[in-house]
């Protein structure tokens, strides 16, 4: 008996536009983090959903950041960062760090860690790192961090999930609109 296979249907749509890419990748649910550091004595940070474990031995993580953004170049210069994994009840922190406007740390209670990175209370997990390697990938940098220490995890709380342009997977509201033309500074990490 001969088995026949057919190739998947090919479309001649070309390379996806940034909006098409964003919509497609939005179907991959991810957690939400805040990547932060201190530069010249000032805390800086941004919301980031591209965070993952890379290696257990040695312990390495990665995140992706727009290298044209305001915070990442300053964090890179300092050489150390911390990643705070947000819980589902931390929408206020996410909104603060996901916006290109306002002072991220203005009025926020935080303290400096022994590794020279800013920490705020709560969250599911905090991963303290130093920059081990940076790879340019289009308009972003893929940052590999060597893990120095971990605080957590808080197993009593649920994670903040970003899915199809909104928070949570059970949310039946329409998808959130994309920021106008993905203006500079409106991009998440």
């Amino acid at each position: 008996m001969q088995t026949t296979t057919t190739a998947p249907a090919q479309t001649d749509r070309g390379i996806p536009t940034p909006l098409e890419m964003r919509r497609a990748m939005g179907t991959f649910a991810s957690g939400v983090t805040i990547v932060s550091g201190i530069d010249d004595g000032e805390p800086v940070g941004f919301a980031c959903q591209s965070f993952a474990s890379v290696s257990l031995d040695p312990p390495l993580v990665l995140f992706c950041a727009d290298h044209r953004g305001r915070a990442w170049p300053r964090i890179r210069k300092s050489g150390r960062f911390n990643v705070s994994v947000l819980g589902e009840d931390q929408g206020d922190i996410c909104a603060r760090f996901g916006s290109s406007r306002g002072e991220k740390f203005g009025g926020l209670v935080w303290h400096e860690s022994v590794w020279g990175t800013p920490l705020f209370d709560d969250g599911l997990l905090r991963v303290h790192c130093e920059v081990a390697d940076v790879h340019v990938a289009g308009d972003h940098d893929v940052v590999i961090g060597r893990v120095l220490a971990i605080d957590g995890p808080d197993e009593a709380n649920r994670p903040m999930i970003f899915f199809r342009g909104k928070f949570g997977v059970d949310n039946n509201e329409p998808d959130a609109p994309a920021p106008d033309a993905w203006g500079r500074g409106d991009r998440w990490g």
Side-chain angles (χ1 to χ4, degrees):
M1 178 171 184
Q2 186 177 8
T3 306
T4 332
T5 59
T6 55
Q10 296 289 323
T11 60
D12 191 18
R13 296 185 57 196
I15 296 172
T17 66
L19 184 56
E20 290 171 329
M21 185 71 171
R22 183 176 193 189
R23 274 201 186 116
M25 295 297 101
T27 63
F28 178 70
S30 66
V32 181
T33 68
I34 302 300
V35 176
S36 61
I38 296 180
D39 178 46
D40 291 332
E42 182 182 3
V44 293
F46 61 94
C48 178
Q49 66 187 91
S50 57
F51 170 70
S53 173
V54 173
S55 169
L56 300 177
D57 188 18
L60 300 172
V61 296
L62 72 74
F63 70 86
C64 297
D66 186 333
H67 54 244
R68 300 164 299 175
R70 294 180 302 158
W72 163 235
R74 295 181 68 191
I75 294 169
R76 182 178 186 171
K77 186 172 89 171
S78 75
R80 291 211 169 160
F81 62 92
N82 119 34
V83 179
S84 296
V85 178
L86 298 182
E88 69 181 348
D89 61 344
Q90 292 185 291
D92 57 330
I93 298 288
C94 180
R96 174 188 291 257
F97 284 88
S99 171
S100 63
R101 293 161 189 84
E103 292 184 35
K104 311 293 186 207
F105 286 88
L108 183 66
V109 176
W110 67 277
H111 61 277
E112 188 172 335
S113 75
V114 297
W115 299 277
T117 58
L119 297 178
F120 49 89
D121 294 334
D122 302 324
L124 298 182
L125 174 71
R126 289 189 297 254
V127 183
H128 308 279
C129 304
E130 62 186 5
V131 175
D133 207 356
V134 178
H135 303 273
V136 175
D139 58 7
H140 278 59
D141 288 341
V142 178
V143 181
I144 307 295
R146 183 174 298 106
V147 177
L148 303 172
I150 294 174
D151 294 335
D154 174 358
E155 296 180 16
N157 289 315
R158 293 169 33 124
M160 178 177 284
I161 301 292
F162 193 70
F163 176 64
R164 291 190 173 159
K166 58 190 174 235
F167 298 102
V169 293
D170 297 328
N171 188 340
N172 291 325
E173 295 176 19
D175 290 352
D180 292 336
W182 278 63
R184 185 179 167 111
D186 288 334
R187 295 174 184 88
W188 276 28

